[in-house]
């Protein structure tokens, strides 16, 4: 595991602050507060006179202030200029998407300016006689100083050989957590050594923002604009991603989550697994007609936008092998718009990258807003919606087990293979899958070299799949188990059985 | 064998503030049975709102053998369980 991902699934004060920010912004929108009320929120989230998280309460509030701006969809303020927190807020208080790039932002003064890749000798060094660290160093960077190993920073090439051979685990190598979590090397440094995102490389997977131990990275939200749209009476319909089950606590059954969303003011709720069903069948046909016939080298799945953007950008020679099937989000949005032509569609999912996908020219008219599970939870809390108090009679039964399985790594390929087996029983399907963009890159390197010809390749940017997305609430393993239960309980198992799928013949 | 009842509030605010992670951390204590010399049965309940009218700022709320803990976190809850079992 990369050191950047080690914090995943551990609830920290950062998680709490992030969620408090969403709740307060949602409350502000639901309660029709004056926009200038935002100036008071840092004091509400960080109360009192004593710093709770950092050495300075003023800095804590300033950072929360920037997070509040991002949650409104506003840009960060320049550090060297005086600007009130509410600067520009009138522009974004609208009932439609407000988005100014970039989506993912480093709050510069929150960044700890962690050193880039570092190899260091810790106090655990015993200055042993063998000192294998010295023997394996290819640049003679290690010497004994005062009876302990000493690394000459100038000479060290950070290969990590000394780390591997030390019998006392006394030498450590670490990366900045944000850079380590980034699978596309998009984290660079500014002139003060602080993290800076190269937006030409960034694919917005959001792994850096959940891996920064100093809460310095955040993405922009659309909850304020969404609630404004709901409140003005728009027909707003939710499309909820398959990873939603279990995310909102043990009392939040899928049926209650649907009911809760309606109580927030949404007119209806659709499972995005409907679109996953459509995609699974389309990709099954595509594999049989193009890959199995040798016309195309391999088929790479397309549902994870960070993975597909990375695959197309880093490996342009084989970009045509990435499926052009609509992603489950877009396919479901089109189903909704067909059935409700005047509706605004809100994708609710685990993922930061979907916010960017919804900005694409070809998708913009299909998906009006994108929010995460964490942001939805903030809305539930802001509206005092409790699942324990709810009584529901309607069951959730729109999609099949195949579509619901898309939420976990391996689930997309499983669904496509199952449908290939149903449609084309004589076909043999070879599968490879990778999770985490670094491993996805390795898989694509092999594919580009012709070592994955005839394969179905599944890529997921988040290690664990969508259930591990940056906007999730439930610990990853538990989420995978919950998704499996829901998948297994589906009335229909094969995507081919979905009422929405038309192309059911080979 | 001693028995400790841990009840975690299942209201939305407590869940948002980390109630499910507290559940997870209590469950994880089973894996440390040897190191902690655990000879206690921990009953874990999370099926209703227990924070009542304690207000917005107290989440997450956990009750251990009937004693309420406000602003609970994984660390404080695990520590309390270990304290009780060692008594």
């Amino acid at each position: 595991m990369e050191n950047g991902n080690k914090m995943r699934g551990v609830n920290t004060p950062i998680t709490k602050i992030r969620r408090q920010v969403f709740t307060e912004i949602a409350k502000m929108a639901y309660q029709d507060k004056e926009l200038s009320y935002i100036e008071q929120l840092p004091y509400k989230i960080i109360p009192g006179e004593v710093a709770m998280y950092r050495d300075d309460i003023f800095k804590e509030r300033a950072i929360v202030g920037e997070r509040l701006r991002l949650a409104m969809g506003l840009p960060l303020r320049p550090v060297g200029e005086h600007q009130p927190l509410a600067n520009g807020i009138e522009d974004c208080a609208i009932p439609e998407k407000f988005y100014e790039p970039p989506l993912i932002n480093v709050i510069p003064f929150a960044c700890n300016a962690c050193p880039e890749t570092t190899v260091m000798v810790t106090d655990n060094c015993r200055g042993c006689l063998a000192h294998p660290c010295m023997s394996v160093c290819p640049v003679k960077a290690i010497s004994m100083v005062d009876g302990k190993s000493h690394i000459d920073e100038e000479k060290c090439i950070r290969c990590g050989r000394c780390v591997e051979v030390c019998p006392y685990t006394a030498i450590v190598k670490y990366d900045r957590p944000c850079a380590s979590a980034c699978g596309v090397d998009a984290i660079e440094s500014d002139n003060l050594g602080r993290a800076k995102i190269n937006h030409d490389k960034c694919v917005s997977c959001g792994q850096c923002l959940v891996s920064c131990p100093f809460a310095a990275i955040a993405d922009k939200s659309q909850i304020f604009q969404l609630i404004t749209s709901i409140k003005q009476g728009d027909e707003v319909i939710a499309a909820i991603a398959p990873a939603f089950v279990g995310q909102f606590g043990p009392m939040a059954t899928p049926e209650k989550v649907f009911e809760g969303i309606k109580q927030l003011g949404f007119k209806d709720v659709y499972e995005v697994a409907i679109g996953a069903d459509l995609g699974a069948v389309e990709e099954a046909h595509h594999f049989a007609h193009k890959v199995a016939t040798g016309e195309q080298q391999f088929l790479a799945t397309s549902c994870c936008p960070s993975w597909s953007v990375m695959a197309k950008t880093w490996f342009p020679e084989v970009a045509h092998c990435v499926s052009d099937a609509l992603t489950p989000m877009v396919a479901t949005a089109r189903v909704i718009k067909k059935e409700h032509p005047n509706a605004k569609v809100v994708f609710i999912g685990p993922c930061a990258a979907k916010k960017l996908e919804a900005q694409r020219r070809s998708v913009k008219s299909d998906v009006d807003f994108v929010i995460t599970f964490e942001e939805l939870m903030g809305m539930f809390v802001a509206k005092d919606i409790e699942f324990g108090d709810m009584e529901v009679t309607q069951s959730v039964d729109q999609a099949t087990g195949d579509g619901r399985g898309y939420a976990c790594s391996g689930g997309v390929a499983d669904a496509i293979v199952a449908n290939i087996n149903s449609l084309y029983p004589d076909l043999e399907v070879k599968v490879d899958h990778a999770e985490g963009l670094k491993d996805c890159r390795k898989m694509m390197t092999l594919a580009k070299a012709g070592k994955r010809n005839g394969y179905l390749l599944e890529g997921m940017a988040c290690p664990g799949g969508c259930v591990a997305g940056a906007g999730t609430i439930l610990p990853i393993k538990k989420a995978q188990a919950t998704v499996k239960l829901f998948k297994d309980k589906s009335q229909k198992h094969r995507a081919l059985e979905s009422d929405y799928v038309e192309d059911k013949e080979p | 064998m001693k028995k400790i009842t841990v009840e975690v509030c299942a209201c939305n605010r407590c869940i948002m503030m980390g109630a499910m992670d507290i559940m997870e951390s209590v469950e994880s204590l089973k894996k440390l049975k040897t190191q902690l010399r655990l000879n206690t049965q921990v009953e874990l309940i999370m099926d209703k709102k227990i924070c009542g009218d304690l207000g917005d700022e107290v989440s997450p709320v956990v009750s251990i053998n009937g004693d309420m803990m406000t602003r609970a976190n994984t660390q404080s809850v695990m520590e309390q369980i270990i304290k009780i079992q060692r008594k």
Side-chain angles (χ1 to χ4, degrees), chain B residues 7-71:
Chain B
E7 199 169 356
V8 183
C9 181
C11 83
N12 274 344
R13 176 167 276 277
C14 288
I15 285 178
M16 187 180 76
M17 297 302 274
M20 288 198 286
D21 301 275
I22 293 174
M23 280 281 281
E24 192 86 342
S25 70
V26 176
E27 279 170 6
S28 77
L29 287 177
K30 287 177 197 155
K31 291 180 195 156
L32 301 176
K33 223 171 175 173
T34 322
Q35 292 94 324
L36 294 168
R37 295 190 202 123
L38 265 185
N39 186 24
T40 306
Q41 189 196 336
V42 180
E43 190 193 7
L44 199 48
I45 304 165
M46 190 178 184
D47 61 1
K48 60 178 182 291
K49 178 173 176 161
I50 60 165
C51 62
D53 301 322
L54 292 172
D56 276 0
E57 315 305 324
V58 296
S59 299
V61 172
V62 175
S63 153
I64 302 181
N65 283 350
D67 290 335
M68 290 291 235
M69 286 175 78
T70 55
R71 289 176 180 262

Side-chain angles (χ1 to χ4, degrees), chain A residues 375-421:
Chain A
E375 290 163 350
L376 178 66
M377 192 57 158
M379 290 171 69
F380 284 140
V381 173
K383 263 293 235 176
D384 278 330
I385 288 170
E386 286 299 342
F387 296 113
D389 306 337
M390 249 176 231
E391 278 186 24
V392 284
T393 47
Q394 214 177 349
S395 64
V396 173
D397 189 22
Q398 302 168 343
T400 75
D402 281 341
R404 290 172 176 174
Y406 264 51
C408 300
S409 56
V412 180
D414 283 351
I416 299 167
V417 171
N419 287 284
I420 294 173
N421 290 339

Side-chain angles (χ1 to χ4, degrees), chain A residues 62 66 69 75-88 108-109:
Chain A
E66 295 307 319
R69 283 183 63 82
L76 296 172
R77 289 172 296 173
V79 181
E81 275 175 36
H82 170 70
Q83 273 187 18
L85 187 51
N87 195 42
F109 59 94

Side-chain angles (χ1 to χ4, degrees), chain A residues 278 281-282 285 289 423-424 496 500-506:
Chain A
L278 292 165
V281 174
E282 187 179 339
H285 286 303
H289 295 153
L423 286 160
Y424 309 94
L496 272 170
Y500 292 93
V501 171
E502 288 171 359
D503 201 2
K504 297 187 180 193
E505 298 301 323

Side-chain angles (χ1 to χ4, degrees), chain A residues 255-491:
Chain A
E255 292 75 17
K256 286 187 174 182
V257 174
F258 272 44
E259 175 58 27
I261 292 173
K262 286 179 192 164
Q263 288 186 15
L264 287 173
F266 288 80
K267 293 285 187 294
D268 207 348
V269 190
Y270 282 66
E271 286 186 75
V272 171
I274 293 169
D277 285 334
L278 292 165
V281 174
E282 187 179 339
E283 287 175 352
H285 286 303
H286 186 116
F287 186 90
H289 295 153
K290 302 277 181 183
V291 181
T293 55
E295 197 179 314
Q296 185 178 310
Q297 270 175 275
F298 59 88
L299 178 66
T301 56
S302 63
C303 50
C304 168
S306 294
W307 139 255
S308 66
V309 168
M310 182 283 291
K312 287 177 186 167
T313 322
W314 286 64
F315 302 91
E317 307 85 349
V318 284
H320 62 281
C321 296
V322 178
S323 167
D324 53 10
L326 295 177
T327 63
M329 173 179 85
V330 179
T332 309
R334 290 197 181 166
V335 166
I336 297 171
K337 293 250 167 160
K338 200 171 164 194
E339 293 178 6
H340 307 268
N342 299 319
K344 284 186 176 173
V345 174
V346 184
F347 174 80
I348 304 171
C351 180
K354 289 285 180 192
K355 293 179 181 176
L356 215 59
E357 186 192 341
Q359 281 301 114
R360 290 183 201 157
R361 217 174 307 148
S362 56
V363 178
K364 235 175 177 172
S365 56
D366 299 313
V367 182
D368 297 274
F369 298 100
V370 174
I371 63 167
T372 65
F373 296 144
E374 268 191 332
E375 290 163 350
L376 178 66
M377 192 57 158
M379 290 171 69
F380 284 140
V381 173
K383 263 293 235 176
D384 278 330
I385 288 170
E386 286 299 342
F387 296 113
D389 306 337
M390 249 176 231
E391 278 186 24
V392 284
T393 47
Q394 214 177 349
S395 64
V396 173
D397 189 22
Q398 302 168 343
T400 75
D402 281 341
R404 290 172 176 174
Y406 264 51
C408 300
S409 56
V412 180
D414 283 351
I416 299 167
V417 171
N419 287 284
I420 294 173
N421 290 339
S422 298
L423 286 160
Y424 309 94
D426 299 331
L427 222 62
E428 195 199 331
V429 194
K430 289 178 282 183
V431 177
D432 193 4
H433 86 271
E435 42 193 294
L437 286 173
K438 278 186 187 150
D439 285 346
C440 288
R441 271 164 60 188
K442 287 179 195 159
M443 182 172 75
M444 281 302 284
T445 305
L446 290 172
K448 186 184 147 193
K451 310 235 186 240
R452 289 292 177 268
N453 285 355
Y455 272 68
L456 172 69
L457 302 183
E458 180 203 285
M460 294 270 197
C462 298
C466 303
V467 288
T472 54
I473 301 165
L474 189 63
I476 298 163
K477 288 226 167 86
K478 207 157 225 174
Q480 286 172 328
T482 319
V483 165
K484 189 177 178 307
L485 270 178
F486 187 52
K487 179 188 163 185
D488 292 345
K489 267 174 47 189
S490 308
Q491 303 256 322

